[in-house]
Amino acid sequence: MIDAMREARVRGWSLVGLAFCVMMMAVALGLEHLGGLEPCPLCIFQRVAVIAAGVVFAVAALHDPKGRLGGALYGLLSLGAVGTGIGLAWRHLWLQSLPADEVPSCGPGLDYMMEVLPLQQVVSMVLNASGECAEISARFLGLSLPGWTLIGFVMLAVVPLGLLWRACRSRTGYRWSEDAPQD
């Protein structure tokens, strides 16, 4: 397993990341449609981060650049999407940890805001006044759903970091063994 990770090309790393994104979305959609849990605005934003990472991974897998620049670019783009997801899940957990009297007020629904407000204002309102996101609707093994999402994003971060590590490794000429081929 470790040897396969050491020698994996951009396509291999990207397919692993894409599969993980598909699994995260399957869980989210299953909880919504089969479990009856309505996603709050921060949950929806976290889904957008998963989808954005998945799109980058899909394009990277299709392109499969051989040089280190392409791998580094896809690594940075996917790390940006995953990092955004980590930040959103962290914010969600923080809101859920607030005492009831400190929870920000609930704003209008996300659908309404998307219809009448510019995107920048919608994002600002969701991040600053999402009292409905403080509600804990489900727990599994003691963690709320944003906690599990944060764990998922941290695990997913291994893929872009692997892409970046691979690009840096090929740049410096580092080899795992003396007889290993250079990229």
Side-chain angles (χ1 to χ4, degrees):
M1 172 79 170
I2 298 296
D3 288 334
M5 288 177 63
R6 288 179 184 155
E7 299 306 320
R9 301 199 68 68
V10 171
R11 178 171 287 145
W13 282 105
S14 299
L15 288 173
V16 168
L18 179 59
F20 199 83
C21 289
V22 168
M23 187 260 326
M24 286 180 74
M25 284 306 300
V27 169
L29 292 171
L31 288 171
E32 179 181 355
H33 297 289
L34 301 175
L37 297 175
E38 283 295 317
C40 71
L42 278 174
C43 290
I44 293 170
F45 281 20
Q46 289 168 62
R47 289 180 185 188
V48 170
V50 171
I51 292 167
V55 167
V56 173
F57 291 136
V59 171
L62 289 172
H63 181 208
D64 192 24
K66 303 299 182 227
R68 60 182 183 254
L69 180 62
L73 178 64
Y74 289 122
L76 287 172
L77 289 173
S78 56
L79 188 59
V82 172
T84 299
I86 288 172
L88 290 166
W90 191 272
R91 170 76 175 166
H92 202 162
L93 281 171
W94 176 77
L95 281 171
Q96 289 183 340
S97 72
L98 292 175
D101 61 332
E102 293 181 28
V103 172
S105 63
C106 296
L110 185 61
D111 292 336
Y112 173 77
M113 288 190 291
M114 292 296 291
E115 286 179 20
V116 299
L117 298 173
L119 183 59
Q120 183 180 2
Q121 196 172 355
V122 171
V123 171
S124 177
M125 286 182 72
V126 168
L127 293 177
N128 293 317
S130 293
E132 66 269 29
C133 296
E135 180 183 326
I136 299 174
S137 55
R139 287 187 183 272
F140 180 69
L141 298 177
L143 285 177
S144 65
L145 296 178
W148 286 106
T149 305
L150 178 62
I151 290 170
F153 276 121
V154 169
M155 291 171 58
L156 184 59
V158 169
V159 175
L161 292 173
L163 287 169
L164 291 169
W165 172 77
R166 183 186 179 285
C168 290
R169 178 182 63 112
S170 65
R171 179 175 183 207
T172 60
Y174 178 78
R175 297 185 205 182
W176 286 99
S177 67
E178 289 302 314
D179 52 58
Q182 291 268 339
D183 285 340

